[in-house]
Amino acid sequence: HNAREAAAEAAAVVVEGDAQALNAAWTNRFDRVIANLVVHIVPDPDRALGELHRVCAPGGCAGFTVWGRRAESPLFTLLEGVLKRLRDEGAIPAPAAAPAPAVPRRSQFHLGQDDPALRDRARAAGFVDVVSWHVPCAWPRGVGGARPAGRHFAESWLGSQLSSLQLRAT
């Protein structure tokens, strides 16, 4: 199944768009809006949140995910850490100095570092009843070779339920 086939079976609509400039015809159209790992990578996250709110129908709900805290995300920081260690040990050279970018670079973790600030941004976009929680995203090693790490990760991540996580609400 691809996403469109699965959506058709569920009587859902799957659309693509620029998260910062969604189609004007979509205003108040969707009862569920999902932006998975989008908001933290667009140039203007607040504009994207505003657009998500605009296309969400009154009484609907939206969900979005962002990378969390750097320290809790070893899967996403593994390469960066290995390269730093190799540079520190002199095993590889430091990268050549590059000219400063026109737009300052920011970490992919910039929105996941401060939960209250992220909730404030969602409320500023018009969302109410804003909650946030963290789902660990680490790829563990297989346990004694008896269990593939990928399967263990998938089971633990997909098995996390809101009831078992500490919600942070405002």
Side-chain angles (χ1 to χ4, degrees), residues 16-18 21-27 29-30 51 54-55:
E16 288 181 42
D18 177 346
L22 297 172
N23 187 318
W26 297 344
T27 299
R29 177 165 177 203
F30 301 102
E51 285 292 279
R54 180 181 62 78
V55 302

Side-chain angles (χ1 to χ4, degrees), residues 139-155:
W139 196 279
R141 295 180 182 188
V143 179
R147 182 175 213 185
R151 182 175 175 180
H152 177 71
F153 168 74
E155 289 171 356

Side-chain angles (χ1 to χ4, degrees), residues 47-83:
R47 185 172 167 196
L49 288 169
E51 285 292 279
L52 294 171
H53 182 266
R54 180 181 62 78
V55 302
C56 192
C61 68
F64 59 92
T65 59
V66 299
W67 283 10
R69 295 180 189 101
R70 177 181 297 276
E72 296 172 353
S73 303
L75 179 62
F76 299 118
T77 58
L78 179 65
L79 180 59
E80 177 183 283
V82 168
L83 291 174

Side-chain angles (χ1 to χ4, degrees), residues 93 131 134 151 169:
V131 297
H134 288 256
R151 182 175 175 180

Side-chain angles (χ1 to χ4, degrees), residues 90-115:
I92 62 172
V103 176
R105 293 185 70 182
R106 64 178 185 220
S107 164
Q108 295 286 25
F109 298 96
H110 72 107
L111 293 179
Q113 300 300 313
D114 184 344
D115 286 352

